[in-house]
Amino acid sequence: MSDAGAAPLFTIFTPTHNRAHTLLRLYESIAAQEFRDFEWVIVDDGSTDNTRELVARWIDEADFPIRYFHQSHGHKKTAYNYGIREARGELFLCWDSDDAALPHALRLFRDEWLAIPEADRGAFVGITGLCCYEDGKIFGDTYPQSPYDSNPVESTLCDRIRGDKSGFQRVDILRRHPFPEFIEGLVPEGVVWNAIAREYKTRYINEPVLIYHVEQDSIINSTNTLAKIRSMAVGRGYFAAEFLTHDWRWLFRAPVEVLKIAANHTRYAWHMWRSGRKGGFPPQSIGGCLLKLLAWPVGFLAFLYDERRLPRA
């Protein structure tokens, strides 16, 4: 169908790479959404399967706008930035190619967003809900109350809420905080979420919105190997450096968790060196540098453990 018309409230964004075998599940869940003011933006990150043909068929048959873009394989960070640039909606959701949304997801997000008084809404980046398994069991931890106004740093470090969650963010804020494309390989999403958390709150709700699937080829389902650790060392090292530069003061509320991040800075810097990558990402704050020195022995021991105990490939 034509993609012309008024700007939608939501842009649903999906980055995909050789996931034609899982995309139908997501497409059907999007088509079943109770709230209909949305578009679906797909950024194909260099797929070599039949993703393009599959999406072309859906564009012809769907009763909602689908916009497809193709790029050379550049990982999720470049696909995400591409999707943000192309988004026509006010609010942006990332639903991955192996996800399936519950039918009420967009309606719930809209209602919860409008429930925040308009005078207060400018302080929020978005709403985040829970993920569940196919049997309805909640994946990960729930929030201490619902709604719960916080940010990803506080909820993770202080409240120790773990497990994947699903939500939306304002497009205008995401455009001011793109993923760093100069980083080699995968970049932890926390680089962006932590930067946004320095300025905005998120409203969290204890309502499931997404069905969580773990495919055999998912990163989360793969075993740690030395090769895998080294392939992620640049991105994870950059994340640790950014945290120690801007967020080291969380030490006073979550000392153990912050010291773990400081130790990982050393751990991944050594992995970068051993794999022939020059330099690293030193923290740019006095507090961050002191934390790095304090946690250096632990980080070096973690590096040695990786070297001696993890399988090579």
Side-chain angles (χ1 to χ4, degrees):
M1 66 175 288
S2 170
D3 60 6
L9 179 61
F10 290 103
T11 291
I12 301 169
F13 161 69
T14 299
T16 186
H17 177 71
N18 289 337
R19 286 301 184 89
H21 59 290
T22 66
L23 275 171
L24 176 62
R25 180 171 60 211
L26 176 59
Y27 167 68
E28 290 177 342
S29 74
I30 291 174
Q33 287 300 301
E34 297 167 3
F35 183 73
R36 306 300 296 176
D37 189 13
F38 66 87
E39 65 171 354
W40 188 20
V41 170
I42 301 167
V43 175
D44 185 343
D45 187 38
S47 293
T48 56
D49 59 9
N50 65 325
T51 294
R52 185 190 298 269
E53 294 75 18
L54 192 65
V55 174
R57 187 168 75 244
W58 294 339
I59 289 173
D60 289 337
E61 70 181 34
D63 64 352
F64 55 89
I66 301 175
R67 301 165 58 220
Y68 172 86
F69 303 92
H70 186 276
Q71 66 172 24
S72 299
H73 187 42
H75 295 288
K76 188 174 182 178
K77 60 180 183 289
T78 58
Y80 206 103
N81 289 344
Y82 198 154
I84 289 292
R85 290 193 299 270
E86 292 294 338
R88 294 175 179 172
E90 174 188 344
L91 308 173
F92 190 88
L93 305 98
C94 180
W95 287 349
D96 286 330
S97 53
D98 53 1
D99 290 333
L102 293 169
H104 65 265
L106 293 185
R107 174 180 55 78
L108 179 65
F109 280 143
R110 187 275 313 269
D111 292 347
E112 292 289 341
W113 184 241
L114 295 180
I116 301 174
E118 188 173 0
D120 300 331
R121 215 174 291 152
F124 287 83
V125 63
I127 307 286
T128 292
L130 305 176
C131 296
C132 65
Y133 292 105
E134 292 180 81
D135 62 3
K137 181 181 178 181
I138 298 300
F139 181 85
D141 301 319
T142 58
Y143 298 104
Q145 62 189 47
S146 183
Y148 163 73
D149 295 341
S150 183
N151 64 64
V153 181
E154 182 178 45
S155 64
T156 301
L157 297 186
C158 301
D159 296 321
R160 299 190 177 185
I161 296 170
R162 301 290 190 263
D164 284 359
K165 307 293 188 270
S166 179
F168 70 80
Q169 293 81 35
R170 287 163 43 192
V171 167
D172 63 315
I173 295 173
L174 290 174
R175 284 179 176 157
R176 298 199 301 271
H177 295 279
F179 278 82
E181 296 190 14
F182 65 89
I183 300 298
E184 176 187 342
L186 297 172
V187 175
E189 295 182 8
V191 169
V192 171
W193 308 146
N194 290 1
I196 293 174
R198 294 168 204 141
E199 304 176 57
Y200 298 96
K201 295 182 288 186
T202 295
R203 172 155 290 184
Y204 299 98
I205 56 174
N206 281 329
E207 295 286 345
V209 292
L210 203 67
I211 300 173
Y212 193 77
H213 297 268
V214 180
E215 300 295 323
Q216 289 301 312
D217 56 350
S218 295
I219 291 177
I220 194 172
N221 206 37
S222 59
T223 302
N224 264 343
T225 65
L226 192 58
K228 178 182 174 183
I229 291 290
R230 286 184 177 169
S231 72
M232 297 181 177
V234 179
R236 289 181 175 179
Y238 180 77
F239 167 82
E242 284 290 286
F243 186 94
L244 293 176
T245 296
H246 301 287
D247 302 311
W248 65 269
R249 290 178 180 84
W250 286 96
L251 171 74
F252 302 111
R253 292 189 59 189
V256 173
E257 297 301 316
V258 172
L259 286 170
K260 285 180 182 178
I261 294 173
N264 274 331
H265 184 277
T266 295
R267 175 190 181 191
Y268 293 120
W270 275 96
H271 279 299
M272 289 174 64
W273 176 77
R274 284 301 296 266
S275 58
R277 300 179 179 97
K278 295 182 179 179
F281 306 104
Q284 302 297 311
S285 66
I286 294 175
C289 290
L290 291 174
L291 281 177
K292 176 190 170 184
L293 289 174
L294 181 63
W296 193 94
V298 177
F300 183 67
L301 288 174
F303 161 74
L304 291 179
Y305 176 89
D306 294 340
E307 284 275 306
R308 297 178 181 180
R309 295 298 182 91
L310 292 181
R312 294 279 158 178

